[in-house]
Amino acid sequence: QVQLVESGGGLVQAGGSLRLSCAASGRLLGSNVVAWFRQALGKEREFVAALTWNGDNTYYADSLKGRFTISRDSAKKSIHLQMNTLRPSDTAVYYCAVDTSTPDSRRVRLPFPYDYWGQGTRVTVSS
């Protein structure tokens, strides 16, 4: 059983930065994949970034690579998402998720393999 709690969302002007955090409790294995997804109002949940808990692999949505950076603090069992040069189109609820199944890089960007989700943190970017 894994519990996830996101924090760090808020209101920011376009061009600004935010750092989201996800505190995990429970057992995480090195092969587990931890990801950030986002969901804007009226849209489907969208993959943002992911990493394997052992830090060996990172994955990004092509459209966000270069502006967003995912990282982890294994000692604090937390995952972070640094978001720079934010745009109004980044406005969404951001969710942290964990996939505890056998890792498969082909499925990392899909929401269905993830079996644990946080409650989300809202990010609003004003123009």
Side-chain angles (χ1 to χ4, degrees), residues 8-62:
L11 175 63
V12 63
Q13 286 190 328
S17 298
L18 276 177
R19 186 174 187 247
L20 305 183
S21 296
C22 174
S25 59
R27 190 179 180 205
L28 288 174
L29 302 178
S31 60
N32 291 161
V33 176
V34 185
W36 288 95
F37 285 79
R38 69 184 185 183
Q39 189 165 18
L41 193 63
K43 295 189 177 182
E44 292 186 353
R45 196 160 293 192
E46 175 189 23
F47 172 77
V48 174
L51 52 73
T52 49
W53 186 241
N54 58 18
D56 285 351
N57 298 290
T58 56
Y59 308 86
Y60 290 95
D62 290 341

